[in-house]
Amino acid sequence: MIAPGSVIGILGGGQLGRMLALAAAPLGFRVHVYAPEDELPAADVSFAVTRAGYADAAALAAFAGQVDVVTFEFENVPSATLALLESLRPVHPCHAALDVAQDRLLEKRFVEELGGTTAPYAAVDSVADLDAALARLGTPAILKTRRMGYDGKGQIRIMHPTEAAASCAALGGADLILEGLVAFDREFSIIVTRGADGSERHFPAIENHHRGGILAESRVPAAVSADAVAAATALVVRIADALGYVGVLTCEFFDTAAGPVFNEMAPRVHNSGHWTIEGARTSQFEQHIRAICGLPLGAADLLAPAVSMTNLLGDAALGWADILSDPDAHLHLYGKSTPEPGRKMGHVTKLHA
Ligand code: AMP
């Protein structure tokens, strides 16, 4: 067990790290952030900061020497970085979870082996592969990079087979995956926390609305059938068990007439769970801290009949004065300096009767 008073090391210094640090404080932990960027929302509320690259072995070793446990707030941590840290300190979630979550192809195969349903897919490493995949899956279809995609980046919708060569080239020509288009009614996510002892807690299913590939709003409870929620939640628990996962695990699903279709997983706290800060008995951030420190998990039930979370993207954050004048609004600003279009600057949570 990592007892209160210990130092938690976090790789990555964005808003997820900031909210993890804020959740760690009441439990008596201090946070040390490791990240290369100049602007680090997490550093504003942390005990210590190492500003260094993820390939800097000396800086990583020094960091490991100053923390008691290591976690991360983004899934694209290089494998070698994690391996080095794992040789020095406990790291949660585990390397296997990161390997699966970093690669859309491995992720889909892994989930299928566990009995989950994914979009129909094919590995694409050439235009010939893509032609064959389009012939099998049909159009429209979505071509995605296997790695490093986020917020709708690294993907192209293909409407006609004649677009194959250009689409393939635009995404680098190899290490791609073609997905058939899933006809869904809505999108939802399931957030499960798994403790070191295998205990598990999950929040209610969360309905997610995207604009331009970026999460705009999350709502609980989701307008998804109890059967679909149960099947999706059971799958996420199987994924967590199979990986020996410790911490918060988020999986995104499409709700379809034939049942839930797994889209992707994030081995971390997630934007769709921000509402848990005010809306659940234990937030996703506190659950993650509890899990990685080997502490008992908290209760995950709702504190209101319904909760909503709206992202403040770009200039929307400049409306903070109006938001503060609404007594029902819980405002979170991440301390970022430039409100570029689509940039996640903050969020607002509301509890509803
Ligand atoms: P992703 O980065 O894979 O989560 O994709 C971003 C968004 O694109 C998703 O939230 C969906 O709205 C949409 N999308 C991605 N893949 C598919 C698919 N196979 N079928 C239908 N919509 C998709």
Side-chain angles (χ1 to χ4, degrees), residues 104 107-108 118-120 141-142 144 149-155 157 178-184 187 208 210 212-214 252-254 261-264:
R104 291 184 191 274
E107 186 178 67
K108 284 199 170 46
T118 69
I142 305 184
K144 301 182 180 180
Y150 70 99
D151 283 349
K153 295 191 175 69
Q155 50 183 274
R157 202 168 275 226
L178 185 75
E179 294 183 16
L181 203 69
V182 176
F184 58 82
E187 296 185 73
N208 297 318
H210 298 85
I214 302 171
E252 295 183 56
F253 291 89
F254 302 124
V261 172
F262 170 94
N263 178 25
E264 63 179 358

Side-chain angles (χ1 to χ4, degrees), residues 55-287:
D56 185 337
L60 288 168
F63 167 71
Q66 295 171 66
V67 304
D68 298 291
V69 61
V70 175
T71 190
F72 42 87
E73 58 121 54
F74 71 113
E75 58 270 43
N76 289 320
V77 177
S79 192
T81 305
L82 213 66
L84 194 157
L85 291 171
E86 277 172 329
S87 70
L88 300 169
R89 281 288 176 268
V91 178
H92 300 298
C94 57
H95 207 142
L98 211 84
D99 287 343
V100 170
Q102 283 182 352
D103 185 329
R104 291 184 191 274
L105 186 62
L106 296 186
E107 186 178 67
K108 284 199 170 46
R109 288 181 179 152
F110 180 71
V111 166
E112 280 182 327
E113 276 166 23
L114 292 172
T117 304
T118 69
Y121 65 93
V124 171
D125 289 303
S126 65
V127 178
D129 284 352
L130 182 53
D131 285 338
L134 284 167
R136 184 162 69 83
L137 302 182
T139 49
I142 305 184
L143 186 65
K144 301 182 180 180
T145 55
R146 279 172 62 176
R147 296 171 161 274
M148 302 295 270
Y150 70 99
D151 283 349
K153 295 191 175 69
Q155 50 183 274
I156 295 178
R157 202 168 275 226
I158 299 182
M159 303 307 291
H160 193 273
T162 53
E163 296 160 23
S167 305
C168 196
L171 292 182
D175 283 330
L176 306 175
I177 181 171
L178 185 75
E179 294 183 16
L181 203 69
V182 176
F184 58 82
D185 296 324
R186 53 189 63 74
E187 296 185 73
F188 69 99
S189 52
I190 301 285
I191 302 181
V192 165
T193 313
R194 187 174 184 275
D197 60 357
S199 58
E200 168 271 316
R201 297 276 191 285
H202 57 267
F203 296 107
I206 306 152
E207 181 172 328
N208 297 318
H209 296 269
H210 298 85
R211 259 172 244 134
I214 302 171
L215 183 67
E217 194 187 340
S218 293
R219 290 178 212 153
V220 276
V224 176
S225 76
D227 283 352
V229 170
T233 306
L235 176 64
V236 183
V237 171
R238 286 204 298 285
I239 293 171
D241 285 344
L243 292 166
Y245 195 96
V246 173
V248 166
L249 171 65
T250 307
C251 291
E252 295 183 56
F253 291 89
F254 302 124
D255 181 31
T256 78
V261 172
F262 170 94
N263 178 25
E264 63 179 358
M265 71 187 209
R268 54 170 171 77
V269 289
H270 194 258
N271 193 169
S272 67
H274 291 358
W275 61 272
T276 60
I277 295 174
E278 290 89 8
R281 271 220 273 172
T282 311
S283 78
Q284 62 166 347
F285 303 100
E286 180 174 338
Q287 288 289 43

Side-chain angles (χ1 to χ4, degrees), residues 8-18 31-44 46 48-56 59-60 63-64 67 70-74 76-78 81 85:
I8 297 168
I10 301 179
L11 297 176
Q15 64 267 19
L16 300 179
R18 180 181 176 99
V31 158
H32 184 151
V33 168
Y34 186 109
E37 292 87 4
D38 287 335
E39 185 171 272
L40 295 174
D44 297 348
S46 292
V49 185
T50 298
R51 247 189 207 82
Y54 295 115
D56 185 337
L60 288 168
F63 167 71
V67 304
V70 175
T71 190
F72 42 87
E73 58 121 54
F74 71 113
N76 289 320
V77 177
T81 305
L85 291 171

